[in-house]
Amino acid sequence: MEFTGFPVAAFDFYDDLEVDNTKSYWAAHKSVYEEAVLAPMKALTAALEPEFARDGQSVKIFRPYRDVRFAKDKTPYKTHQGAFVASGPATGWYVEIAPRGMRVGAGFYEASGPRLTAVREAVADDKTGPALKRTLTKLEKAGFEITGQQLKTTPRGYDAGHPRIDLLRHKTLTAGKSYGFADFIHTAELLEHVREDWRALKPLVSWLERAFARAD
């Protein structure tokens, strides 16, 4: 299937799902989800996978169902559809459609103890740490927002006065950009926007890959 954009019906579907997050709504509109959301997302990621996915990695289109076993909120369905093109363990590129429009990003979303330690060592290193800082500064100037889970305290073994203490506190690190409801998201042109932004994020992903390699 050739990617031609996400139709307006995809956003209408999620607008309504936020209001009526029930099995009866889902059953009545499942075909809209499959045709207006899932099929275009598969086509978009299939077009991007050859350039961005590493050998042995694959596209992950997240399930629409929420895991409510331990959640206070028992609504059964996610009100967004995300997809992840992996370049390594929990590292790679992301795209999402939601009621507030579309967004793209990249980074690492989870790290085991040894991998997180490796990232922090690379941040603290006087060569690789400044290189990451320069990459993130460039991305911010290009319109990306730098986010991620952070410790409120100083990581064990590091000085609170470290020049990159803000980065050392990160448990996850991502750079993202919102497209909102730009007209191009409804057209095939969206593919090139995502491709261009993911290419801009390659220095961040490559830096993370090199950092994680220290733990492997």
Side-chain angles (χ1 to χ4, degrees):
M1 175 182 173
E2 184 177 350
F3 179 72
T4 58
F6 286 92
V8 173
F11 299 93
D12 290 343
F13 170 81
Y14 280 116
D15 279 337
D16 293 339
L17 184 61
E18 280 197 322
V19 175
D20 186 7
N21 197 317
T22 63
K23 291 182 179 180
S24 59
Y25 172 84
W26 185 269
H29 298 84
K30 186 176 180 180
S31 62
V32 178
Y33 166 77
E34 292 176 341
E35 296 168 12
V37 177
L38 186 58
M41 185 63 81
K42 287 182 176 179
L44 175 64
T45 52
L48 294 162
E49 182 179 15
E51 178 176 349
F52 295 96
R54 292 290 186 267
D55 292 342
Q57 303 293 336
S58 61
V59 174
K60 180 182 177 78
I61 296 179
F62 295 101
R63 287 163 51 86
Y65 312 106
R66 295 182 64 247
D67 183 354
V68 299
R69 290 173 297 174
F70 307 107
K72 292 182 179 179
D73 179 1
K74 299 298 182 182
T75 51
Y77 304 103
K78 298 174 184 175
T79 55
H80 63 274
Q81 177 64 66
F84 184 67
V85 177
S87 70
T91 309
W93 290 268
Y94 184 73
V95 60
E96 178 187 282
I97 176 175
R100 283 152 292 283
M102 288 201 64
R103 65 187 182 97
V104 296
F108 80 94
Y109 300 85
E110 185 277 331
S112 63
R115 287 197 176 97
L116 184 56
T117 296
V119 168
R120 286 184 174 146
E121 288 175 351
V123 169
D125 185 281
D126 285 337
K127 181 178 180 181
T128 55
L132 174 61
K133 192 75 173 180
R134 289 192 297 271
T135 293
L136 296 177
T137 298
K138 185 176 180 179
L139 288 171
E140 284 183 308
K141 289 180 179 178
F144 290 92
E145 181 183 10
I146 310 304
T147 59
Q149 280 186 296
Q150 289 180 279
L151 295 173
K152 293 182 180 179
T153 57
T154 302
R156 185 177 302 174
Y158 293 97
D159 193 308
H162 192 284
R164 292 177 295 282
I165 190 60
D166 56 331
L167 291 176
L168 287 167
R169 289 194 175 109
H170 274 270
K171 297 169 65 177
T172 64
L173 179 64
T174 58
K177 179 185 288 188
S178 174
Y179 294 160
F181 295 102
D183 290 342
F184 62 75
I185 66 178
H186 304 302
T187 73
E189 185 184 342
L190 173 63
L191 171 59
E192 293 311 313
H193 281 271
V194 178
R195 194 192 307 276
E196 181 180 338
D197 282 330
W198 281 11
R199 284 174 176 169
L201 290 161
K202 277 187 175 182
L204 171 60
V205 174
S206 295
W207 188 96
L208 291 168
E209 289 173 340
R210 291 192 297 271
F212 284 145
R214 298 185 177 197
D216 295 336

